Amino acid sequence: MTTTRRTGLADDLTDLQPDAVGATPAASGFQLGVRHRPDVTVVPRTTSEVRTAVRAASDRGLPVTVLASGHGTRDGACGGVLIDTRRLDSVAIDPVARTARVGAGVRWGAVVEAAEAHGLRPPSGSFPGVGAIGYTFGGGIGLVARSDGWATDHVRAFEVVDASGSGSVTADSDPAAFARLRGSGPAPGEVVTAMTIGLLPAGPLTGGALVHDLGAVGEPGDPAALHAFHEWTRDLPDDVTAGMSVVPYPDRDVIPPALRGRRVARIAIVVRGDAAAAGRLVAPLRSAVRPRHDTVGPLRPTDGHRVHAEPADPHAYTGDNVLVDDLAADGLDAVATLDGPMTVVGIRHLGGALARPADVPDTVDGRNAGYLVSALAPLDPEQAIDDPAGAVAAADPTRALGPFASRRTGTNRAFAFGPRPS
């Protein structure tokens, strides 16, 4: 891209707010292993400014890349226009219709807080810093997903800007585009500027985690807790949504002493019900696992972050997943003893409302699956930028997924992120 071409592009954007346009340095969101290097970055305040930026790029045949929270970034922009949605941050709750209209830059935490004031909650996940709209593009497995269904099942409308203009996309106005956005995401050049999504009653909810030590990293781990989780989930009612993560913590001073050099299983549980009902449902698992820590208790939607306890600081990582009809026993055994580069293995129990047909067509991956198994590996951010293929090959998170391949039904595109493998 020549300087002249960049200057001409910037000249086309002079009608925007003075601080909305800039030839910015490389940028990234939560994912530090991928950087955007656009010719021009636009930080719009309105849909009209988005339209201006998209048309300017289209007139020159340049790509448009959208940056919201950046959690699921797979590829970095190389030239063209980067639209940073941080200022499209409005949230409007309609308590009568039980809907929220959210701008493209809104994180789930803001929606959860606004909805809770009306005794409502969105079908969001556990991490408040994830972009609300981008989350729905992959389907969205929320805190209460087996009761709520996919987050995208609750989407009423998207407001979209493409090269020809803007408009709302609903099941009635453009069924094909509505189905594509709900599961596959935007087409190249499209920018979703807002979304209207249905809300649900806030509670009662009970949730938290059972934390169990599988043993020292580098030694054979005891898979009993993983098999107990599998057995417990076989006959759960739809009111219970659960997942497990197995984290092999390195032996480093920055890690708390109780976790340092240990392989730890965290079983995350949310029950749509009060503590008494949840206690009866969780009792068999508690008895089988005998957790070191047990934080399952009354849960407000605004406290959902404590269920899975994902890291809050941006970092570099790569990950992939496999959808399975059931969990292979040898796969669970392998997870309990997985060595090599640090890899976090996640197992999410699907089924329930997640298995129900959508009211209108969509493109979600996983309605026919019983579980989703994911593997995430941290990367050195500089190596990930300079040699992404080498960084991913060295981390090799997919080695954790191989033992589950015999039960594979597909993959979910929302759980494939970070620098691409070669």
Side-chain angles (χ1 to χ4, degrees), residues 336-380:
T337 59
L338 185 68
D339 281 322
M342 181 179 179
T343 299
V344 179
V345 178
I347 301 172
R348 291 176 181 261
H349 182 214
L350 305 182
L354 294 167
R356 297 172 192 162
D359 290 338
V360 295
D362 65 9
T363 49
V364 170
D365 304 311
R367 290 190 187 273
N368 64 337
Y371 298 84
L372 183 148
V373 184
S374 61
L376 181 151
L379 302 173
D380 175 85

Side-chain angles (χ1 to χ4, degrees), residues 102-367:
V102 300
V106 172
R107 315 292 178 92
W108 271 130
V111 188
V112 171
E113 185 173 348
E116 191 178 56
H118 300 279
L120 301 168
R121 63 174 175 83
S124 56
S126 64
F127 189 64
V130 169
I133 291 179
Y135 175 88
T136 66
F137 293 154
I141 302 174
L143 276 176
V144 201
R146 282 175 38 84
S147 175
D148 296 348
W150 299 87
T152 199
D153 292 341
H154 301 272
V155 175
R156 309 288 179 82
F158 291 108
E159 296 169 37
V160 182
V161 170
D162 58 25
S164 63
S166 66
S168 291
V169 176
T170 66
D172 295 331
S173 66
D174 191 337
F178 194 55
R180 172 174 49 76
L181 288 164
R182 294 166 53 250
S184 303
E190 283 184 339
V191 181
V192 176
T193 58
M195 171 183 74
T196 300
I197 191 167
L199 301 174
L200 300 134
L205 298 176
T206 304
L210 308 181
V211 181
H212 180 77
D213 191 325
L214 301 179
V217 173
E219 297 179 5
D222 182 357
L226 282 75
H227 289 284
F229 169 79
H230 181 208
E231 186 63 30
W232 177 69
T233 58
R234 288 185 184 277
D235 299 312
L236 281 180
D238 295 356
D239 285 342
V240 184
T241 300
M244 170 182 279
S245 61
V246 177
V247 184
Y249 287 98
D251 188 3
R252 297 177 183 170
D253 291 342
V254 295
I255 305 298
L259 302 176
R260 193 178 302 160
R262 309 299 296 179
R263 188 180 286 111
V264 178
R266 180 185 184 89
I267 303 174
I269 302 167
V270 177
V271 179
R272 195 183 65 170
D274 60 23
R280 292 189 292 272
L281 290 165
V282 178
L285 184 63
R286 281 189 170 120
S287 177
V289 172
R290 299 187 180 279
R292 172 184 290 182
H293 299 292
D294 184 341
T295 65
V296 177
L299 183 73
R300 293 176 53 190
T302 47
D303 292 331
H305 60 277
R306 69 177 177 80
V307 175
H308 287 271
E310 295 101 336
D313 295 327
H315 55 287
Y317 50 93
T318 185
D320 212 332
N321 72 96
V322 61
L323 293 163
V324 296
D325 61 353
D326 200 2
L327 296 173
D330 55 348
L332 297 175
D333 292 342
V335 169
T337 59
L338 185 68
D339 281 322
M342 181 179 179
T343 299
V344 179
V345 178
I347 301 172
R348 291 176 181 261
H349 182 214
L350 305 182
L354 294 167
R356 297 172 192 162
D359 290 338
V360 295
D362 65 9
T363 49
V364 170
D365 304 311
R367 290 190 187 273

Side-chain angles (χ1 to χ4, degrees), residues 27-37 65-78 82 134 137 184 315-322 374-377 379 384-385 387-389 391-393 395-398 401 408 411-422:
S28 60
F30 191 87
Q31 166 62 268
L32 299 183
V34 178
R35 290 181 191 163
H36 297 297
R37 293 184 173 89
T65 303
V66 178
L67 174 62
S69 66
H71 281 75
T73 301
R74 194 67 157 162
D75 299 301
C78 183
L82 177 69
F137 293 154
S184 303
H315 55 287
Y317 50 93
T318 185
D320 212 332
N321 72 96
V322 61
S374 61
L376 181 151
L379 302 173
I385 298 300
D387 179 20
V392 174
D396 190 22
T398 58
L401 304 178
R408 184 182 185 275
T411 59
N412 183 286
R413 65 199 78 197
F415 287 82
F417 37 65
R420 293 180 182 274
S422 58

